[in-house]
């Protein structure tokens, strides 16, 4: 092994080799490179300052231009390396005293360092050795002291060269040395030059940040390491840029926001002098300045990796106050920032995350719609990515904005909540849903359905959202599971909306099916032209009607019909075959998706009807509630039947199936296998709902299979032995099979024969009575001919057996006995049996039977007070009287001619003691079953002696009834306008109008048991009539609220009543006259206040003959003074001094006052008169004496009760940023209208 040379020997060797350089320059590249390598090798073994004295001529020989500017890069590289060793050895002395020479050395260094880029090349090793020499003792620091020309550019060039040379491929080898070299340069420099600052900052931001990640990392390290010069330069740059708003001289001034964000992420503490500048901007009075500051600081806080929120918590708290800024744009920006901040992972601090989320909650109630939208978006963004940050209550608060007064907010809520739910479903597509997540999201579908109530949304918007609620990867079983979870949180409003939407889908499917049939006929007629047997021709008008019918299912029917016509004109038959397949109930979800995509592709996105076609296909598809869904839900219900702990799941599933069966029975195919176990289940509720499914979709049992037969046998048993609800549904199923089915026509007949025989032989068990009576009621309603065949046995049993049974004598009992309940069911069955039959041969039997039923009801309704003991307890007596009243209403529905005055009065008076039951029955009967408007009059009795809730309920019922009656009247006029003369039409249409309620009200009040006698009423200025006047005012106020057109007819009817006598008791006629005058007074007072016209009614008046008998002359009132003529004219029967008092306005219940209704002001504008100056009503005025006798001394302030003023005001902040309830709107309470032309489930009889 050769002996290692000493440093002195190495130095001498280098000097010796240097003497050969001159000759080697003429020998070629290889010889020169070899000598330079040997020199470099020798110099590398010489330590710093050791034997520099042995190296005398080598430094001079190495700086020749021939070497430093040699055309071969290897020569230049090794020459630079040798020079670096020379500088190292001579340090701290400088072998080159001339600045120009030293500049040439550094230029050679920069040229050599550029070869660091590619580690795979041979030049990299030499360049790396050079870099190590420079880094070891800071060989480049003398650059800072050079004063020759061009020396100032060396330092920036060094930074640029090393930044460019560093890359991901060599970073592991050279990054440490490069960082050391540049850090030393920054620290040794008195101040960082703009060029160096630019080189560093440029690598922190895009695009260079993305182009070279290693250079970006180097720049970050320099910012962290250079705590003085560089950070100070950065602070000065950013401060100047902020003050100049990006208009500074530095090339990066315009991008100061990017630089600030980048530096803050690298080392937020390096910007301690910059943050106060931004905080000052946050407090600026100028809104634009605050907005810029919010955007800037929010961007910094939200940047990935930013620690500003943690390091400068005080500044974060100041920033969060901007959530309440008075500027709308600032609050919007804060909401956007908050979501971005938490989504970027800055949610590790629970207190900060909680404060931000609470700010979102406050902004949901902001007075500005843009802020509310921004808050909704922020919360939903978090709910999708970090649901744990959003409490269920907050997400539900977002749902509350569905009733926002702004359309943009409502639509955004639907869009974002559906997206959040979709993400939730996808997250747990293959796993069990955690209870906490289910609580957070499962209510969303229920809320989306409520969009049907919004006039600008309706089901046209809801349907596409629901159709796209589940990602494609979610299986049908999981979809059904999610729907069942959603049903558990579905309220009544959502349930109605769901049923309505299914009904609308059924209608559009039916319309499309009809159109396709007409199109097929049209196509067949065109193809058969010239053939012997030509097909039926379809004219253009028929097709146009079909287009119109299909278009009626869309928001813009006319435009939709035009689009349908464009689709019809297309020649591609696959489109129409696809439509036909789409409306089939057994088409799977996957097949529906494929058909939809194919049809849309064939129509083409450039077709004007393309977007409309997308909505059409959504409406036509039965998905997501097709036959697949029904089968899965049934399977889940059956599987849960065996587990008693999952009974609630079974109930929810069956309730959902009942809804589907009611609104879309066609999707129930052959489900007998699953229904078998349900109808035999031990739980009564499960059996009842299974029976409801069969009753709503009975076609699933129309067959001859063993399973179907087994279910029918079970239903026949339930008709007799089941509960009332089970028997009712079972009987409905059997009746449908008897009327429509191909099989099983005799099942219900067999059941009724069994019941009839058992009744005849007195073998009916008391335990079977609920089911038997329910079955009899269903048969009486839906198969009256069959009922009449067994009417004798049924009537005998109910009247002579059931109704004859003595009720338990327990006067103090407040509970209704079971026998009284059975007797009320018997009364209902008797009344339903009066339904009209198509079989005219049974007319006599039916007429006699109806009379018997009427007498039975009369015996209960008109029972004498002394005979009440036979009804047992007061509870039983009240229950039976109400049951008899309801039964009378049922009877009147089928036989209006039996509205007999005494029964009308006695039934109407039931509302006094049982308002909760009777108000709904009157409203439902008139609106749903066409009861005469006479039964709206009893609701006026609720105006006196009842609480505010009852009055409010009665007023709402009257509003609904009068609106329905007006629609009826219009329909009547349209129907008979061409077949009746004008006089007859006006006279007859009046009897269908809302104002025709008034004569019945007058009659009812005249027969009211509390109506004072003539003498009592005349005393004390007629104060005894005050309650009755309030009842009249109550009804008249609601009647005129919907239309002022009723006044002429109403006034004429009231005057006409004074030309009649009571048909039932002439002695009570004075009550009719007094009530008529009170009604006239109320109507005229109202007309005077409102300035309404009271002109002549163009037609004659017809009054119900059973109630009023027409006289030749109008009745006259008593004279005012003895010996004077009787009073004639309006108000002539009123007591002297009678005046009107306002009825108590219907109020909301205590604690239920609206939070959005402003307080009605008590102050009147002094310039505004209390009443309008209008001409007197255009009809004959009353006599002077009569006008003195009855006067009105009220003013406009008495139109409402004082309690009505007790409504909460909306307290607001002057800045407008904290209004708590602004933008809330009440959810509509009316039922959704059924789709035009759609007939849903047949109306069920009400429970008594």
């Amino acid at each position: 092994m050769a002996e290692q040379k000493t440093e002195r020997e190495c130095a001498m060797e280098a000097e010796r080799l240097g003497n050969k350089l001159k000759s080697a320059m003429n020998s070629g590249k290889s010889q020169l490179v070899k000598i330079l390598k040997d020199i470099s090798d020798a110099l590398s073994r010489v330590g710093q300052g050791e034997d520099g004295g042995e190296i005398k001529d080598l430094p001079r020989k190495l700086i020749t231009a021939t070497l430093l500017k040699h055309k071969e890069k290897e020569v230049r590289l090794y020459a630079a390396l040798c020079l670096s060793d020379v500088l190292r050895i001579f340090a701290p002395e400088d072998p080159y005293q001339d600045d120009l020479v030293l500049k040439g050395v550094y230029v050679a260094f920069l040229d050599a360092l550029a070869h660091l880029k590619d580690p795979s090349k041979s030049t990299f090793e030499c360049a790396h050795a050079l870099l190590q020499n420079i880094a070891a003792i800071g060989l480049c620091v003398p650059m800072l002291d050079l004063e020759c020309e061009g020396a100032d550019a060396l330092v920036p060039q060094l930074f640029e060269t090393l930044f460019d040379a560093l890359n991901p491929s060599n970073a592991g080898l050279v990054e440490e040395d490069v960082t050391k070299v540049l850090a030393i340069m920054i620290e040794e420099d008195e101040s960082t030059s703009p060029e160096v600052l630019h080189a560093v900052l440029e690598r922190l931001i895009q695009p260079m940040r993305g182009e070279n990640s290693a250079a970006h990392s180097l720049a970050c390290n320099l910012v962290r390491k250079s705590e003085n010069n560089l950070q100070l330069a950065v602070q000065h740059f950013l401060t100047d840029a902020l003050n100049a708003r990006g208009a500074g001289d530095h090339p990066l001034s315009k991008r100061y926001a990017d630089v600030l964000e980048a530096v803050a992420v690298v080392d937020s503490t390096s910007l301690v002098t910059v943050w106060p500048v931004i905080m000052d901007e946050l407090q600026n009075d100028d809104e634009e300045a605050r907005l810029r500051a919010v955007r800037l600081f929010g961007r910094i806080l939200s940047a990935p990796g930013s620690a500003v929120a943690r390091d400068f918590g005080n500044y974060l708290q100041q920033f969060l106050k901007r959530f309440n800024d008075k500027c709308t744009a600032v609050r919007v920006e804060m909401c956007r920032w908050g979501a971005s901040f938490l989504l970027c992972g800055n949610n590790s601090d629970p207190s900060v995350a909680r404060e931000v989320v609470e700010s979102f909650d406050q902004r949901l109630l902001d007075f500005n719609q843009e802020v509310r939208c921004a808050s909704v978006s922020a919360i939903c963004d978090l709910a999708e990515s970090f649901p744990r940050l959003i409490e269920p209550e907050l997400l539900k608060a977002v749902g509350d904005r569905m009733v926002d007064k702004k359309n943009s907010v409502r639509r955004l809520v639907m869009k974002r909540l559906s997206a959040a739910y979709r993400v939730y479903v996808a997250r747990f597509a293959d796993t069990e849903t955690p209870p906490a997540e289910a609580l957070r999201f499962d209510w969303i579908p229920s809320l989306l359905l409520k969009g049907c109530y919004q006039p600008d949304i309706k089901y046209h918007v809801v349907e596409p959202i629901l159709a796209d609620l589940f990602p494609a990867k979610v299986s049908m079983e999981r979809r059904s599971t999610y729907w069942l979870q959603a049903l558990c949180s579905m309220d009544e409003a959502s349930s109605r909306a769901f049923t309505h939407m299914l009904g609308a889908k059924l209608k559009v499917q039916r319309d499309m099916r009809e159109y396709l049939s007409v199109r097929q006929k049209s196509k067949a007629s065109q193809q058969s032209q010239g053939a012997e047997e030509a097909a039926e021709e379809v004219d253009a008008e028929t097709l146009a009607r079909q287009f119109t019918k299909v278009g009626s299912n869309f928001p813009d029917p006319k435009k939709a019909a035009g689009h349908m016509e464009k689709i019809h004109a297309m020649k591609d038959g696959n489109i129409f075959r696809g439509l036909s397949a789409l409306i089939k109930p057994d088409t799977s979800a996957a097949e529906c998706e494929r058909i939809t995509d194919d049809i849309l592709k064939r129509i083409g996105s450039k077709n004007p009807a393309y977007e409309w076609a997308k909505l059409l296909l959504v409406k036509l598809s039965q998905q997501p509630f097709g036959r697949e869904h029904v089968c899965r839900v049934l399977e889940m219900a059956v599987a849960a039947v065996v587990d008693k702990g999952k009974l609630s799941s079974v109930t929810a599933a069956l309730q959902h199936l009942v809804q589907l069966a009611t609104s879309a029975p066609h999707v129930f195919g052959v489900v007998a296998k699953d229904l078998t176990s349900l109808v035999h289940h031990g739980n009564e509720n499960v059996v009842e709902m299974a029976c409801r499914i069969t009753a709503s979709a009975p076609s699933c049992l129309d067959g001859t299979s063993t399973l179907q037969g087994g279910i029918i046998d079970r239903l026949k048993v339930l008709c007799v032995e089941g509960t009332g609800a089970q028997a009712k549904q079972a009987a409905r199923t059997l009746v449908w099979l008897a009327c429509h089915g191909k099989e099983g026509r005799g099942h219900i007949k067999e059941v009724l024969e069994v019941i009839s025989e058992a009744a005849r032989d007195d073998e009916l068990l008391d335990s079977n009575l609920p089911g038997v009576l329910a079955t009899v009621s269903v048969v009486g309603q839906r198969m009256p001919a069959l009922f009449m065949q067994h009417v004798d046995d049924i009537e005998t049993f109910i009247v002579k057996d059931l109704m004859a049974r003595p009720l338990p004598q327990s006067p103090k009992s407040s509970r209704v006995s079971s026998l009284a309940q059975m007797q009320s069911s018997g009364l209902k069955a008797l009344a339903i049996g009066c339904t009209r039959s198509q079989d005219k041969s049974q007319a006599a039997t039916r007429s006699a039977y109806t009379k018997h039923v009427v007498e039975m009801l009369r015996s209960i309704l008109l029972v004498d007070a002394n005979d009440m003991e036979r009804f047992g307890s007061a509870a039983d007596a009240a229950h039976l009287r109400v049951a008899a009243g309801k039964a009378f209403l049922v009877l009147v529905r089928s036989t209006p001619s039996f509205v007999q005055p005494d029964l009308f009065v006695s039934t109407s008076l039931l509302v006094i003691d049982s308002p909760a039951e009777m108000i709904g029955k009157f409203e439902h009967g008139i609106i749903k079953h066409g009861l005469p408007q006479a039964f709206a009059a009893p609701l006026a009795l609720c105006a006196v002696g009842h609480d505010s809730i009852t009055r409010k309920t009665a007023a709402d019922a009257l509003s609904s009834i009068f609106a329905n009656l007006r629609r009826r009247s219009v329909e009547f006029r349209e129907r008979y306008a061409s077949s009746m003369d004008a006089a007859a039409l006006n006279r007859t249409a009046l009897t269908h109008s809302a104002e025709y309620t008034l004569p019945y009200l007058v009659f009812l009040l005249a027969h009211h048991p509390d109506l004072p006698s003539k003498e009592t009423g005349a005393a004390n200025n007629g104060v005894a009539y005050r309650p009755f006047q309030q009842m009249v005012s109550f009804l008249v106020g609601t009647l005129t609220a919907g239309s002022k057109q009723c006044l002429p007819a109403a006034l004429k009817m009231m005057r006409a009543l004074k030309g009649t006598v009571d048909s039932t008791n002439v002695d009570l006629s004075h009550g009719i006259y007094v009530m008529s005058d009170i009604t006239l007074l109320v109507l005229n007072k109202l007309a005077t206040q409102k300035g309404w016209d009271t002109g002549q009614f163009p037609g004659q008046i017809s009054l119900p003959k059973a109630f009023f008998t027409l006289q030749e002359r109008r009745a006259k009132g008593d004279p005012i003074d003895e010996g004077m003529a009787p009073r004639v004219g309006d108000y002539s029967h009123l007591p002297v001094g009678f005046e009107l008092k306002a009825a108590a306005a219907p109020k909301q219940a205590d604690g239920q006052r609206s939070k959005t209704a402003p307080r009605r002001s008590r102050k009147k504008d002094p310039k505004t008169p209390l009443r309008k100056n209008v001409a007197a009503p255009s009809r004959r005025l009353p006599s002077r004496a009569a006008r003195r006798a009855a006067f009105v001394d009220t003013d406009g302030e008495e139109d409402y009760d004082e309690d009505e003023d007790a409504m909460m005001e909306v307290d607001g902040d002057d800045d407008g940023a904290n209004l708590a309830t602004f933008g809330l709107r009440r959810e509509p309470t009316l039922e959704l209208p059924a789709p035009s032309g759609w007939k849903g489930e047949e109306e069920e009889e009400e429970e008594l």
Side-chain angles (χ1 to χ4, degrees), residues 737-774:
L737 291 173
C739 297
H740 305 92
K742 299 176 182 178
E743 306 291 338
R745 294 179 179 274
H747 296 308
I748 190 64
K749 184 177 181 180
E750 179 183 343
V751 170
L752 199 62
E753 287 176 351
V754 170
I755 292 175
S756 180
E757 183 178 354
R760 187 168 54 252
D761 298 338
D762 197 18
E763 294 179 356
L764 283 176
L765 300 177
D766 289 350
S767 60
N768 293 343
L769 284 181
V772 166
L773 292 174

Side-chain angles (χ1 to χ4, degrees), residues 320-328 330-336 356-376 378-379 394 397-398 401 404 409 1213 1215-1220 1222:
L320 293 178
K321 292 179 181 179
R322 294 303 99 203
F323 270 110
N324 294 324
D325 195 285
K326 64 182 179 180
C327 175
T328 297
V330 172
R331 299 198 303 277
V332 170
E333 190 62 36
M334 287 299 297
C335 290
R336 293 171 181 167
V356 173
V357 172
E358 287 175 355
S359 298
F360 291 154
D361 191 8
Q362 295 173 6
R363 292 306 104 215
L364 280 176
L365 303 176
D366 195 278
F367 70 88
N368 186 276
Q369 61 174 329
E370 294 181 18
V371 182
R372 299 199 297 274
C373 285
S375 181
V376 167
I379 294 172
L394 178 56
V398 173
R401 305 316 307 169
D404 195 281
V409 181
D1213 187 272
D1215 288 340
N1218 294 305
L1219 288 183
F1222 198 93

Side-chain angles (χ1 to χ4, degrees), residues 580-636:
S580 180
L582 199 62
I583 58 181
K584 292 180 180 178
D586 54 351
T587 304
S588 65
E591 189 68 12
C592 283
E593 187 174 354
R594 186 194 65 78
I595 293 172
T596 298
D597 293 341
D598 181 67
I599 293 176
L600 290 176
K601 183 178 180 181
R602 293 178 183 278
I603 293 175
S605 58
K606 295 184 179 180
N607 192 308
Y610 181 79
E611 291 298 326
W612 173 82
K614 289 171 65 175
L615 179 57
L616 171 68
L617 296 177
V618 169
K619 288 176 172 290
L620 291 178
S621 173
Q622 192 57 45
Q623 304 304 325
F625 307 107
R627 186 163 292 176
E628 274 184 310
H629 175 70
V630 169
C631 293
R632 295 294 181 279
V633 175
L634 264 175
E635 289 172 2
M636 293 165 60

Side-chain angles (χ1 to χ4, degrees), residues 213-420:
S213 60
H216 170 71
S217 177
L218 171 61
C220 292
N221 289 332
L222 292 176
V223 172
R224 294 190 190 98
K225 289 178 178 295
S226 306
E227 297 182 357
N228 295 319
N229 289 348
L230 182 59
Q231 289 187 2
L232 187 61
V234 171
Q235 291 170 7
H236 286 172
F237 161 74
L238 289 174
T239 302
D240 293 342
L242 284 169
N243 292 330
R245 297 179 185 176
D249 296 332
H250 197 281
L252 293 178
S253 288
K254 292 182 179 180
R255 301 193 61 189
Y256 72 91
D258 297 332
V259 174
L260 181 58
E261 176 188 349
V263 176
V265 170
V266 173
D267 184 9
S268 62
T269 59
S270 66
L271 300 174
V272 289
T273 62
V274 179
W275 302 132
V277 177
I278 300 177
M279 292 301 108
D280 289 342
E281 286 292 284
L282 286 176
Q283 306 295 330
N284 199 310
D285 290 337
D286 182 53
E287 293 183 353
E288 289 295 329
R290 291 203 309 278
L291 182 59
R292 284 195 302 271
V294 164
R295 287 173 176 166
L296 179 61
F297 198 60
R299 176 179 174 179
I300 295 168
L301 292 170
S302 304
S306 173
V308 176
R310 181 185 67 243
D311 297 340
F312 299 94
N314 57 326
Y315 292 151
L316 175 63
Q317 292 303 316
Q318 292 184 43
F319 181 70
L320 293 178
K321 292 179 181 179
R322 294 303 99 203
F323 270 110
N324 294 324
D325 195 285
K326 64 182 179 180
C327 175
T328 297
V330 172
R331 299 198 303 277
V332 170
E333 190 62 36
M334 287 299 297
C335 290
R336 293 171 181 167
W337 163 80
S340 174
F341 176 73
L342 296 178
L343 288 172
C344 289
N346 298 303
N347 51 45
S348 56
D349 187 343
S351 61
V352 173
R354 189 183 312 112
E355 189 169 359
V356 173
V357 172
E358 287 175 355
S359 298
F360 291 154
D361 191 8
Q362 295 173 6
R363 292 306 104 215
L364 280 176
L365 303 176
D366 195 278
F367 70 88
N368 186 276
Q369 61 174 329
E370 294 181 18
V371 182
R372 299 199 297 274
C373 285
S375 181
V376 167
S377 295
I379 294 172
C380 291
D381 284 341
L382 292 175
E384 292 178 21
S385 302
F386 297 102
R388 61 180 178 79
L389 296 177
I390 305 299
E391 294 295 329
E393 291 74 16
L394 178 56
L395 204 57
K396 290 181 179 179
V398 173
D400 291 341
R401 305 316 307 169
M402 273 287 292
V403 294
D404 195 281
K405 68 175 185 177
K406 292 295 183 180
N407 168 275
S408 58
V409 181
R410 297 195 296 270
R411 287 180 175 265
L412 180 66
V413 168
M414 290 199 67
K415 178 182 177 181
R416 294 311 309 270
L417 284 181
S418 62

Side-chain angles (χ1 to χ4, degrees), residues 59-290:
R60 177 177 52 79
K61 294 176 180 178
L62 288 174
I63 61 171
T64 61
T66 306
L67 285 177
L68 296 181
K69 296 182 179 181
H70 198 279
K71 64 179 180 179
E72 298 295 338
K73 60 183 178 182
E74 288 86 351
V75 174
R76 298 195 305 273
L77 263 171
Y78 281 101
L81 180 58
C82 291
L83 285 170
S84 70
D85 280 317
V86 169
L87 292 176
R88 175 181 59 80
I89 293 169
F90 278 82
E93 299 300 327
D94 193 345
Y96 306 109
Q97 299 302 318
D98 190 345
D99 284 359
L100 287 175
V101 173
L102 196 55
K103 172 189 171 185
V105 172
Y106 286 133
V107 170
F109 283 179
L110 295 178
D111 178 62
L113 291 173
H115 292 282
L116 289 169
K117 290 182 179 180
D118 192 350
S120 63
K121 292 185 177 180
S122 59
T123 56
F124 174 79
E125 185 176 352
C126 182
H128 189 201
L130 172 62
L131 176 66
Q132 289 175 325
N133 281 343
I134 296 173
I137 58 172
L139 291 181
C140 287
V141 172
M143 274 186 190
L144 301 171
D145 298 325
L146 296 179
E147 296 179 355
C148 61
E149 184 180 356
D152 294 340
L154 289 177
V155 175
Q157 287 178 16
L158 175 65
F159 275 82
E160 290 290 346
T161 300
L162 291 180
F163 270 123
D164 291 342
L166 186 64
N167 56 66
S169 64
N170 65 14
L173 300 173
V174 304
E175 183 177 14
E176 183 178 353
D177 291 326
V178 171
T179 303
K180 186 176 181 180
V181 169
L182 298 183
I184 290 174
M185 295 298 292
I186 292 173
E187 291 302 320
E188 291 296 329
D189 199 356
E190 292 181 358
S191 61
T192 303
S193 67
E195 294 80 9
V196 170
L197 180 65
H198 181 274
V200 175
L201 297 182
E202 194 175 28
R203 268 73 184 184
L204 292 176
I205 61 177
Q206 298 293 356
M208 293 190 116
R209 172 180 177 173
E211 294 172 356
N212 191 341
S213 60
H216 170 71
S217 177
L218 171 61
C220 292
N221 289 332
L222 292 176
V223 172
R224 294 190 190 98
K225 289 178 178 295
S226 306
E227 297 182 357
N228 295 319
N229 289 348
L230 182 59
Q231 289 187 2
L232 187 61
V234 171
Q235 291 170 7
H236 286 172
F237 161 74
L238 289 174
T239 302
D240 293 342
L242 284 169
N243 292 330
R245 297 179 185 176
D249 296 332
H250 197 281
L252 293 178
S253 288
K254 292 182 179 180
R255 301 193 61 189
Y256 72 91
D258 297 332
V259 174
L260 181 58
E261 176 188 349
V263 176
V265 170
V266 173
D267 184 9
S268 62
T269 59
S270 66
L271 300 174
V272 289
T273 62
V274 179
W275 302 132
V277 177
I278 300 177
M279 292 301 108
D280 289 342
E281 286 292 284
L282 286 176
Q283 306 295 330
N284 199 310
D285 290 337
D286 182 53
E287 293 183 353
E288 289 295 329
R290 291 203 309 278

